[in-house]
Amino acid sequence: MRDLTYEIPNLYAAEPIPDAARAAIDALLSSGDLFRYSAPKDAPVSLLEEDFADLIGARYALAVSSCSAALFLSLKALDLPKNARVLIPAFTFAAVPSAVVHADCVPVLVEVDNSYRINLTDFKAKISSVDAILISHMRGHTSDMDAILNLAEEHGLPVVEDAAHSLGTTWNGQNIGTLGRIGCFSFQSYKMINAGEGGIMITDDPDLFARAVIMSGAYEHTWKKHAKIGEIGAKWQNKLPLYNMRMQNLSATVIRPQLPELARRVRDGRRNHDFVAKNLTASGHFHVPAPLDGELRAPDSIQFTLLDFTDAQTHRFLEAATANGVPASVFGLSKDNARAFWNWQFLEETPELPLTRAMLMRACDVRLPARLQISDLEFVATALIAAASAAKA
Ligand SMILES: *Cc1c(COP(=O)(O)O)cnc(C)c1O
């Protein structure tokens, strides 16, 4: 048998951190100044917040320990009452309902259909029963944000965007994360910018920003080190709990030199996705849902639906794809998958969501990091198509 191992692309390996980070990290280590609020000004975390706000087009940015922390602080900053009902899509990562629970709120799951996007009929049916809306742009798939924002406004509901995995995606030319009252992003290793862990929230609302700054752990007068906060910080002084979810300077020093890389990663990620999508679609075995008008994604993975596969064929496909060197998973079939809502057993009840369940049982997920070359993409597409043919033979 031909030895294929030499050409199998590693879909999990990270991209190196840019060399530009090294000198800055060295200087930081020499100073020992790792805490964001030690320096009187220009701490790496503060500089990251300025850079990120400029890059994304927001007035304020607050860097924190994770996107989950950013989501939690967003809900707290909105001052929702205890047990407030927060609408979230049923197709998301377990960290999202977890952040809602952490914020003493109750997640209300809305159906996601076979386009991987929020089902607007179910959204309209549930919107009257909630106090806030948290839109998770899962893997960058953007639901109809015009419709969602209009309905939210009609009902006077705040919208938080979970853009953890959507940095670089745009909706009608505007950055995802800047559409709602608050947007949250992740710097965990599998996202577009990799610091191992980390997150950031953005908003144009000075009051929400000041509340989030204090609750993130700006004790005493450290909030004054957020240059744009003004005197509004004083209004919330001593009034709010300090949850200590700050980012440290080392993380910011790893992130900042990656910001100029973003445009390239977005461009290459899109090229990779579209190349594989075209080949998979042409095979007739798979459906790759088209983007909505107005949506331009920044993918670092591909999702596609298996067409006319029985359960047994689906399992055979996954085994064959993995044997061919491409680890693929179907969200609803891999054991304990954190993106399958029935595994969120920490919720008080698991709702019946037939559309989302049907989608999850046939939607497949394959990583396609930006650094892959065309030959890698050919390998991935060929391996998946061969696995489908074998599974159906
Ligand atoms: C990764 C991810 C999160 C969680 O981000 P962390 O920074 O790891 O807390 C939340 N939502 C989505 C859609 C994600 O992909």
Side-chain angles (χ1 to χ4, degrees):
M1 233 178 90
R2 200 155 74 91
D3 175 17
L4 285 174
T5 50
Y6 69 97
E7 56 185 88
I8 294 181
N10 184 338
L11 302 185
Y12 287 86
E15 206 176 287
I17 304 302
D19 280 342
R22 282 171 216 278
I25 290 170
D26 254 3
L28 185 68
L29 295 185
S30 303
S31 73
D33 206 358
L34 297 176
F35 182 49
R36 70 161 298 166
Y37 291 129
S38 300
K41 63 186 183 69
D42 292 341
V45 178
S46 303
L47 296 176
L48 168 65
E49 288 167 345
E50 284 171 33
D51 291 350
F52 195 87
D54 288 347
L55 176 82
I56 205 81
R59 257 170 97 182
Y60 307 104
L62 172 65
V64 291
S65 50
S66 68
C67 182
S68 300
L71 294 170
F72 164 81
L73 289 169
S74 299
L75 297 173
K76 286 290 178 194
L78 286 169
D79 200 19
L80 299 171
K82 211 176 167 75
N83 293 324
R85 291 164 61 82
V86 178
L87 187 142
I88 64 168
F91 176 40
T92 186
F93 186 60
V96 178
S98 305
V100 175
V101 170
H102 187 193
D104 293 321
C105 298
V106 179
V108 175
L109 275 48
V110 68
E111 287 265 42
V112 170
D113 56 37
N114 56 16
S115 66
Y116 314 148
R117 293 173 176 83
I118 289 171
N119 178 279
L120 285 177
T121 307
D122 198 41
F123 184 88
K124 285 175 195 156
K126 287 175 177 159
I127 193 170
S128 311
S129 75
V130 300
D131 304 290
I133 297 172
L134 199 175
I135 300 294
S136 210
H137 306 292
M138 186 57 169
R139 297 286 197 274
H141 297 288
T142 306
S143 297
D144 183 344
M145 288 306 289
D146 293 346
I148 287 170
L149 293 169
N150 282 336
L151 285 162
E153 194 174 319
E154 254 172 51
H155 288 79
L157 297 174
V159 175
V160 176
E161 290 180 84
D162 166 22
H165 211 153
S166 308
L167 181 57
T169 294
T170 57
W171 176 256
N172 295 332
Q174 194 180 333
N175 280 315
I176 283 294
T178 64
L179 306 170
R181 291 271 296 278
I182 309 178
C184 303
F185 298 84
S186 174
F187 301 121
Q188 185 269 341
S189 288
Y190 293 157
K191 317 296 163 126
M192 208 45 110
I193 290 183
N194 166 21
E197 302 285 358
I200 198 162
M201 59 177 280
I202 55 163
T203 184
D204 286 342
D205 183 320
D207 212 49
L208 285 180
F209 176 65
R211 289 173 55 82
V213 163
I214 291 194
M215 286 189 280
S216 76
Y219 63 94
E220 296 168 353
H221 296 146
T222 47
W223 55 265
K224 292 182 181 169
K225 293 189 177 177
H226 293 262
K228 292 188 205 152
I229 201 169
E231 278 311 304
I232 201 155
K235 176 175 157 196
W236 296 109
Q237 181 77 60
N238 301 341
K239 303 283 195 309
L240 298 168
L242 307 171
Y243 294 108
N244 280 12
M245 295 174 158
R246 296 174 299 251
M247 180 181 275
Q248 62 138 324
N249 282 335
L250 199 48
S251 306
T253 308
V254 172
I255 294 165
R256 288 185 68 220
Q258 293 183 61
L259 297 181
E261 306 288 318
L262 179 63
R264 173 189 55 82
R265 291 181 188 173
V266 168
R267 189 189 63 220
D268 291 354
R270 203 171 278 155
R271 173 204 64 191
N272 295 353
H273 174 274
D274 292 352
F275 181 95
V276 175
K278 193 164 151 242
N279 282 276
L280 295 187
T281 303
S283 78
H285 293 302
F286 309 111
H287 174 61
V288 182
L292 298 186
D293 287 345
E295 172 189 352
L296 194 53
R297 278 172 66 217
D300 57 10
S301 63
I302 185 165
Q303 290 72 46
F304 51 91
T305 300
L306 308 184
L307 292 175
D308 305 320
F309 283 61
T310 63
D311 281 347
Q313 287 171 335
T314 303
H315 284 291
R316 281 211 296 277
F317 164 75
L318 293 173
E319 277 165 30
T322 305
N324 288 350
V326 175
S329 62
V330 164
F331 294 105
L333 288 180
S334 73
K335 188 167 163 21
D336 300 328
N337 194 302
R339 299 148 205 90
F341 64 86
W342 53 88
N343 289 329
W344 305 339
Q345 290 166 19
F346 53 86
L347 298 183
E348 278 182 13
E349 56 182 319
T350 305
E352 269 315 308
L353 297 162
L355 293 178
T356 312
R357 184 181 284 271
M359 179 275 286
L360 290 169
M361 294 311 274
R362 288 296 178 272
C364 194
D365 192 30
V366 173
R367 282 177 51 76
L368 290 178
R371 61 176 169 70
L372 296 187
Q373 305 296 312
I374 292 292
S375 57
D376 301 326
L377 304 170
E378 279 167 349
F379 182 98
V380 169
T382 306
L384 292 171
I385 293 166
S389 302
K392 283 193 171 170

Short mmCIF file of all heavy atoms in Angstrom, two decimals, residues 56 136-142 162-170 175-177 184-186 191-192 296-298:
data_model
loop_
_atom_site.label_atom_id
_atom_site.label_comp_id
_atom_site.label_asym_id
_atom_site.label_seq_id
_atom_site.Cartn_x
_atom_site.Cartn_y
_atom_site.Cartn_z
N ILE A 56 -11.35 47.01 15.00
CA ILE A 56 -12.69 46.45 14.82
C ILE A 56 -13.73 47.55 14.58
O ILE A 56 -14.79 47.32 14.02
CB ILE A 56 -13.07 45.58 16.05
CG1 ILE A 56 -14.11 44.53 15.70
CG2 ILE A 56 -13.50 46.41 17.23
CD1 ILE A 56 -13.56 43.32 15.05
N SER A 136 -24.75 33.78 19.07
CA SER A 136 -23.48 33.11 18.87
C SER A 136 -23.32 32.88 17.38
O SER A 136 -24.10 32.15 16.79
CB SER A 136 -23.56 31.77 19.61
OG SER A 136 -22.32 31.38 20.06
N HIS A 137 -22.33 33.51 16.79
CA HIS A 137 -22.09 33.31 15.35
C HIS A 137 -21.22 32.07 15.24
O HIS A 137 -20.00 32.16 15.09
CB HIS A 137 -21.39 34.51 14.74
CG HIS A 137 -22.08 35.82 14.98
ND1 HIS A 137 -23.29 36.12 14.42
CD2 HIS A 137 -21.73 36.89 15.72
CE1 HIS A 137 -23.65 37.35 14.79
NE2 HIS A 137 -22.72 37.83 15.59
N MET A 138 -21.85 30.90 15.34
CA MET A 138 -21.10 29.66 15.46
C MET A 138 -20.24 29.40 14.22
O MET A 138 -20.74 29.39 13.10
CB MET A 138 -22.11 28.54 15.68
CG MET A 138 -21.49 27.20 15.98
SD MET A 138 -20.40 27.25 17.42
CE MET A 138 -20.16 25.49 17.65
N ARG A 139 -18.94 29.22 14.44
CA ARG A 139 -17.98 29.00 13.34
C ARG A 139 -18.08 30.11 12.29
O ARG A 139 -17.78 29.89 11.12
CB ARG A 139 -18.21 27.66 12.65
CG ARG A 139 -18.00 26.43 13.53
CD ARG A 139 -16.51 26.19 13.76
NE ARG A 139 -16.23 24.86 14.24
CZ ARG A 139 -16.26 24.47 15.52
NH1 ARG A 139 -16.58 25.33 16.47
NH2 ARG A 139 -15.96 23.23 15.86
N GLY A 140 -18.57 31.28 12.71
CA GLY A 140 -18.69 32.41 11.79
C GLY A 140 -19.97 32.40 10.98
O GLY A 140 -20.24 33.37 10.27
N HIS A 141 -20.79 31.34 11.06
CA HIS A 141 -22.05 31.34 10.30
C HIS A 141 -22.95 32.41 10.89
O HIS A 141 -23.29 32.38 12.07
CB HIS A 141 -22.73 29.97 10.37
CG HIS A 141 -21.91 28.88 9.73
ND1 HIS A 141 -21.75 28.79 8.37
CD2 HIS A 141 -21.18 27.88 10.25
CE1 HIS A 141 -20.96 27.76 8.09
NE2 HIS A 141 -20.60 27.20 9.22
N THR A 142 -23.31 33.38 10.06
CA THR A 142 -24.02 34.55 10.55
C THR A 142 -25.49 34.41 10.20
O THR A 142 -25.84 34.21 9.04
CB THR A 142 -23.43 35.82 9.89
OG1 THR A 142 -22.03 35.82 10.12
CG2 THR A 142 -24.03 37.07 10.47
N ASP A 162 -21.75 36.91 20.46
CA ASP A 162 -20.63 36.01 20.73
C ASP A 162 -19.92 35.81 19.39
O ASP A 162 -20.33 34.99 18.58
CB ASP A 162 -21.15 34.69 21.29
CG ASP A 162 -20.08 33.59 21.26
OD1 ASP A 162 -18.88 33.94 21.21
OD2 ASP A 162 -20.45 32.41 21.27
N ALA A 163 -18.86 36.59 19.20
CA ALA A 163 -18.08 36.51 17.96
C ALA A 163 -16.75 35.79 18.23
O ALA A 163 -15.75 36.03 17.55
CB ALA A 163 -17.84 37.91 17.41
N ALA A 164 -16.78 34.89 19.22
CA ALA A 164 -15.57 34.17 19.65
C ALA A 164 -14.78 33.62 18.47
O ALA A 164 -13.56 33.73 18.42
CB ALA A 164 -15.94 33.02 20.59
N HIS A 165 -15.52 33.04 17.53
CA HIS A 165 -14.86 32.34 16.43
C HIS A 165 -15.16 33.04 15.10
O HIS A 165 -15.20 32.39 14.06
CB HIS A 165 -15.39 30.89 16.41
CG HIS A 165 -14.39 29.91 15.90
ND1 HIS A 165 -14.36 28.60 16.26
CD2 HIS A 165 -13.35 30.06 15.04
CE1 HIS A 165 -13.36 27.98 15.66
NE2 HIS A 165 -12.74 28.85 14.90
N SER A 166 -15.39 34.33 15.14
CA SER A 166 -15.84 35.05 13.94
C SER A 166 -15.04 36.31 13.67
O SER A 166 -15.49 37.17 12.91
CB SER A 166 -17.31 35.45 14.09
OG SER A 166 -18.07 34.34 14.44
N LEU A 167 -13.87 36.44 14.29
CA LEU A 167 -13.09 37.65 14.05
C LEU A 167 -12.76 37.73 12.56
O LEU A 167 -12.23 36.77 11.99
CB LEU A 167 -11.80 37.61 14.89
CG LEU A 167 -10.87 38.80 14.78
CD1 LEU A 167 -11.59 40.10 15.15
CD2 LEU A 167 -9.64 38.61 15.66
N GLY A 168 -13.09 38.85 11.94
CA GLY A 168 -12.82 39.03 10.51
C GLY A 168 -14.05 38.81 9.64
O GLY A 168 -14.06 39.18 8.47
N THR A 169 -15.11 38.23 10.21
CA THR A 169 -16.36 38.08 9.45
C THR A 169 -17.08 39.42 9.40
O THR A 169 -17.06 40.18 10.37
CB THR A 169 -17.25 37.01 10.13
OG1 THR A 169 -16.61 35.74 10.02
CG2 THR A 169 -18.62 36.93 9.49
N THR A 170 -17.70 39.71 8.25
CA THR A 170 -18.44 40.97 8.14
C THR A 170 -19.88 40.70 7.72
O THR A 170 -20.19 39.70 7.08
CB THR A 170 -17.80 41.94 7.13
OG1 THR A 170 -17.71 41.29 5.85
CG2 THR A 170 -16.41 42.37 7.56
N ASN A 175 -18.02 44.90 10.69
CA ASN A 175 -17.45 43.79 11.45
C ASN A 175 -18.47 43.15 12.38
O ASN A 175 -19.15 43.84 13.14
CB ASN A 175 -16.26 44.27 12.29
CG ASN A 175 -15.00 44.40 11.45
OD1 ASN A 175 -14.69 43.52 10.65
ND2 ASN A 175 -14.29 45.50 11.63
N ILE A 176 -18.53 41.83 12.32
CA ILE A 176 -19.31 41.06 13.30
C ILE A 176 -18.75 41.39 14.70
O ILE A 176 -17.54 41.50 14.88
CB ILE A 176 -19.15 39.55 12.97
CG1 ILE A 176 -20.03 39.19 11.78
CG2 ILE A 176 -19.45 38.67 14.15
CD1 ILE A 176 -21.50 39.29 12.05
N GLY A 177 -19.64 41.53 15.65
CA GLY A 177 -19.21 41.93 16.99
C GLY A 177 -19.50 43.40 17.25
O GLY A 177 -19.58 43.83 18.40
N CYS A 184 -18.16 40.06 21.80
CA CYS A 184 -17.13 39.33 22.54
C CYS A 184 -16.33 38.43 21.61
O CYS A 184 -16.92 37.76 20.76
CB CYS A 184 -17.78 38.48 23.64
SG CYS A 184 -18.78 39.43 24.78
N PHE A 185 -15.02 38.40 21.81
CA PHE A 185 -14.11 37.61 20.96
C PHE A 185 -13.20 36.76 21.84
O PHE A 185 -12.96 37.09 23.00
CB PHE A 185 -13.23 38.54 20.12
CG PHE A 185 -13.99 39.41 19.17
CD1 PHE A 185 -14.52 40.63 19.60
CD2 PHE A 185 -14.19 39.04 17.84
CE1 PHE A 185 -15.24 41.45 18.72
CE2 PHE A 185 -14.89 39.85 16.96
CZ PHE A 185 -15.42 41.05 17.40
N SER A 186 -12.66 35.69 21.23
CA SER A 186 -11.77 34.78 21.96
C SER A 186 -10.38 34.78 21.34
O SER A 186 -10.24 34.88 20.11
CB SER A 186 -12.33 33.36 21.91
OG SER A 186 -11.43 32.44 22.50
N LYS A 191 -8.78 29.81 17.67
CA LYS A 191 -9.44 30.94 17.01
C LYS A 191 -8.43 31.66 16.11
O LYS A 191 -7.27 31.29 16.04
CB LYS A 191 -10.04 31.88 18.05
CG LYS A 191 -10.75 31.19 19.20
CD LYS A 191 -11.98 30.39 18.77
CE LYS A 191 -12.39 29.41 19.84
NZ LYS A 191 -13.74 29.47 20.28
N MET A 192 -8.89 32.70 15.45
CA MET A 192 -8.08 33.39 14.44
C MET A 192 -6.79 33.98 15.03
O MET A 192 -5.77 34.07 14.36
CB MET A 192 -8.96 34.48 13.83
CG MET A 192 -8.66 34.89 12.43
SD MET A 192 -8.34 33.57 11.25
CE MET A 192 -9.74 33.59 10.18
N LEU A 296 -19.93 37.81 4.88
CA LEU A 296 -18.62 37.44 4.33
C LEU A 296 -17.82 36.85 5.49
O LEU A 296 -17.40 37.58 6.40
CB LEU A 296 -17.93 38.67 3.74
CG LEU A 296 -16.72 38.42 2.85
CD1 LEU A 296 -17.02 37.44 1.72
CD2 LEU A 296 -16.19 39.73 2.30
N ARG A 297 -17.66 35.52 5.47
CA ARG A 297 -17.06 34.84 6.61
C ARG A 297 -15.55 34.85 6.57
O ARG A 297 -14.93 35.06 5.53
CB ARG A 297 -17.54 33.39 6.68
CG ARG A 297 -18.87 33.24 7.34
CD ARG A 297 -19.37 31.82 7.20
NE ARG A 297 -18.54 30.89 7.93
CZ ARG A 297 -18.23 29.66 7.52
NH1 ARG A 297 -18.67 29.23 6.34
NH2 ARG A 297 -17.49 28.88 8.25
N ALA A 298 -14.94 34.58 7.73
CA ALA A 298 -13.50 34.42 7.86
C ALA A 298 -13.27 33.04 8.45
O ALA A 298 -12.94 32.90 9.62
CB ALA A 298 -12.95 35.51 8.78
#
